[in-house]
């Protein structure tokens, strides 16, 4: 039905002298329905049989037809309907206007089972998506190594600067603080047993093998992983990625590959820097609590650790970088078309990347222990 003008949509109700003859003028639609219900409701409340004259009714919509069907069901006689109004009224009258059945809430036990099942299903599909994305990214990296000219060197260098060089201050500060905390707690626990000289061993081994690369990876996951997801997500929301696909440009080649390669190069360097700063923090706590001169501290570090400890820590950095980059880019490409989706996918990328980094670090620790490294 074409929209009515405000003048034509107004409704006028005339009541006959005896009160049982009612004439409607104008349009009975959703805008005039409240007025019609109030006026006709007072009339029908008197218990008299009434006749409704619809000869001058100029417009009728679905809510108005539902109202007239209700009146007809209460014994009101409808006269003078137009053909189109009668067709709409007959169509509405054939509908089964039954109230919706009351929903019975599931029990708490059933809700728990449903949530667990949904969570398991989502985890399974998420794992398949990660494996698929890893396969595509590995294929791109292999193809780029075979054809180096396809690499976007400028984009890779930019991402190395953003994820590596700009992260040096926070990584160095966190490494120093963590090593100081480890050293202080080690001295507090070992001093009653007369073994505070082993503090240097604990700090050096924990920083080189575990804490240096782990803290660095967690910081990079929160800093660079979120940036990857947000940047790509905004491009997806603005349909820039669709524009690249229309132009025949592979978005994985342009957006994902440079970020992955840049992060794989930057994270091991950041981990090495974190190891150096962690040992520096250990020297500070040793000088203040153990009265060890820097040269004495370095000598004990050389006796307590070897090249394998440094290798164990740095060997995990490229794997962590690959996982962080994959998760960040994958969730960025999952963004739909709203700013809320960007925030949700960025949060999921950070949480998932940190979780996988910790799980992989635990698996690496078990593996190196079994191998005797």
């Amino acid at each position: 039905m074409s929209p009515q003008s405000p003048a034509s949509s107004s409704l006028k109700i005339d009541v006959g002298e005896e009160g049982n003859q009612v004439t409607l003028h104008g349009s009975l639609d959703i805008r005039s329905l409240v007025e019609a219900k109030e006026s006709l409701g007072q009339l029908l409340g008197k218990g008299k049989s009434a006749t409704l004259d619809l000869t001058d009714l100029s417009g009728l919509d679905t809510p108005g037809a539902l109202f007239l069907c209700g009146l007809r069901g209460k014994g009101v006689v409808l006269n003078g309907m137009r053909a189109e109004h009668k067709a709409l009224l007959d169509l509405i009258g054939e509908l089964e206007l039954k109230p919706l059945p009351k929903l019975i809430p599931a029990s708490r036990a059933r809700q728990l089972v449903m949530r667990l099942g949904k969570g398991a299903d989502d985890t399974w599909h998420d794992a398949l998506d990660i494996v698929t994305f890893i396969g595509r990214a590995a294929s791109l990296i292999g193809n780029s190594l075979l054809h180096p000219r396809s690499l976007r060197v400028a984009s890779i260098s930019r991402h190395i600067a953003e994820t590596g060089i700009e992260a040096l201050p926070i990584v160095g500060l966190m490494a120093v603080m963590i090593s100081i905390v480890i050293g202080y707690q080690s001295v507090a626990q070992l001093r009653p047993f007369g073994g505070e000289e082993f503090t240097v061993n604990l700090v050096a081994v924990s920083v080189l093998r575990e804490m240096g690369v782990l803290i660095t990876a967690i910081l990079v996951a929160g800093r660079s992983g979120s940036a990857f997801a947000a940047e790509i997500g905004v491009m997806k929301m603005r349909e820039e990625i669709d524009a690249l696909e229309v132009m025949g440009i592979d978005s994985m080649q342009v957006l994902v590959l440079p970020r992955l390669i840049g992060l794989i190069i930057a994270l091991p360097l950041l981990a090495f820097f974190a190891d150096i700063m962690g040992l520096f923090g250990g020297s500070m706590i040793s000088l203040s609590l153990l009265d060890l001169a820097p040269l004495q501290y370095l000598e004990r570090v050389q006796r307590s650790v070897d090249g394998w400890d440094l290798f164990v820590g740095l060997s995990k950095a490229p794997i962590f970088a690959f996982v962080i980059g994959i998760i960040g880019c994958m969730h960025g490409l999952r963004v739909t078309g709203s700013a809320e989706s960007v925030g949700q996918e960025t949060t999921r990328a950070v949480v998932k990347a940190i979780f996988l980094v910790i799980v992989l670090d635990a698996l690496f620790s078990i593996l190196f222990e079994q191998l005797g490294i």
Side-chain angles (χ1 to χ4, degrees):
M1 181 181 296
S2 60
Q4 302 288 334
S5 63
S8 62
S9 62
S10 60
L11 181 68
K12 182 180 179 182
I13 302 176
D14 293 333
V15 182
E17 295 181 356
E18 298 181 0
N20 59 352
Q21 178 73 26
V22 181
T23 304
L24 297 184
H25 305 274
S27 177
L28 180 61
D29 53 19
I30 192 171
R31 288 170 291 186
S32 58
L33 191 58
V34 176
E35 178 186 356
K37 286 183 177 180
E38 292 177 355
S39 301
L40 296 178
Q42 296 176 358
L43 176 65
L44 295 177
K46 299 178 180 179
K48 299 179 180 180
S49 59
T51 302
L52 196 59
D53 186 6
L54 305 177
T55 305
D56 296 332
L57 190 65
S58 60
L60 181 67
D61 63 358
T62 302
L66 284 171
F67 175 64
L68 292 180
C69 285
L71 294 180
R72 188 168 58 182
K74 295 179 181 180
V76 177
V77 180
L78 306 179
N79 293 330
M81 281 190 298
R82 297 183 181 181
E84 61 270 21
H85 295 168
K86 186 177 185 304
L88 177 61
L89 204 64
D90 293 340
L91 178 63
I92 297 298
E94 294 177 358
L95 299 178
E96 295 183 4
L97 303 178
K98 296 181 180 179
L100 294 176
K102 185 178 180 181
L103 295 178
I104 301 177
S107 62
R108 293 185 178 181
R110 185 176 181 182
Q111 290 180 2
L112 177 61
V113 173
M114 292 168 62
R115 291 177 182 175
L116 291 176
K118 184 178 184 303
D121 184 70
D122 293 342
T123 302
W124 171 249
H125 286 88
D126 208 24
L128 291 179
D129 292 341
I130 293 175
V131 172
T132 303
F133 202 86
I134 288 176
R136 294 178 61 190
S139 175
L140 280 176
I141 292 176
N143 184 64
S144 299
L145 294 178
L146 295 177
H147 305 87
R149 292 185 178 180
S150 63
L151 291 174
R152 299 175 179 269
V153 180
S155 180
I156 293 174
S157 61
R158 180 177 69 87
H159 289 298
I160 291 175
E162 291 179 354
T163 60
I165 298 176
E166 296 179 6
L168 288 176
I170 184 63
V171 170
L173 179 62
M174 288 298 298
V176 171
M177 293 295 102
I178 291 296
S179 62
I180 288 177
V181 171
I182 294 175
Y184 186 84
Q185 293 298 326
S186 300
V187 171
Q189 297 300 320
L190 295 176
R191 179 163 286 173
F193 304 98
E196 64 267 18
E197 66 271 9
F198 294 105
T199 299
V200 177
N201 302 57
L202 288 174
V203 172
V205 172
S206 61
V207 167
L208 292 182
R209 292 181 68 97
E210 296 293 339
M211 299 308 299
V213 65
L214 182 60
I215 293 300
T216 303
I218 291 176
L219 284 174
V220 169
R223 184 180 180 276
S224 301
S226 61
F228 290 173
E231 290 171 358
I232 297 177
V234 171
M235 294 182 66
K236 184 72 178 298
M237 185 180 64
R238 294 179 177 176
E239 299 182 353
E240 297 178 16
I241 296 179
D242 295 335
L244 290 176
E245 299 291 344
V246 169
M247 291 186 292
I249 301 175
D250 186 8
S251 58
M252 291 283 292
Q253 182 77 27
V254 175
L255 302 177
V256 177
L257 188 60
R259 287 174 168 81
L260 280 179
I261 296 178
L263 193 58
I264 291 173
I265 296 173
L267 187 54
L269 299 177
L270 284 175
F272 181 75
F273 177 72
D275 292 342
I276 300 300
M277 297 303 295
L279 294 178
F280 174 71
S283 69
M284 293 172 58
I285 200 69
S286 298
L287 180 63
S288 61
L289 297 182
L290 302 178
D291 295 328
L292 283 179
L295 292 179
Q296 293 176 312
Y297 174 77
L298 290 177
E299 182 182 356
R300 290 199 180 184
V301 168
Q302 290 177 356
R303 288 190 311 211
S304 60
V305 297
D306 53 21
W308 281 110
D309 295 309
L310 181 62
F311 167 78
V312 166
L314 295 182
S315 64
K316 296 183 284 187
I319 308 298
F320 292 166
F322 184 76
V323 170
I324 293 170
I326 286 293
I327 297 299
C329 295
M330 185 187 73
H331 280 276
L333 292 173
R334 280 184 174 182
V335 171
T336 53
S338 63
E340 182 182 4
S341 177
V342 175
Q344 291 176 349
E345 295 301 332
T346 301
T347 303
R348 291 170 184 167
V350 173
V351 173
K352 191 176 299 181
I354 294 176
F355 172 77
L356 290 178
V357 163
I358 295 175
V359 170
L360 288 175
D361 185 71
L363 295 178
F364 274 121
S365 299
I366 297 173
L367 175 63
F368 290 137
E369 181 67 25
Q370 294 295 323
L371 295 177
I373 300 177

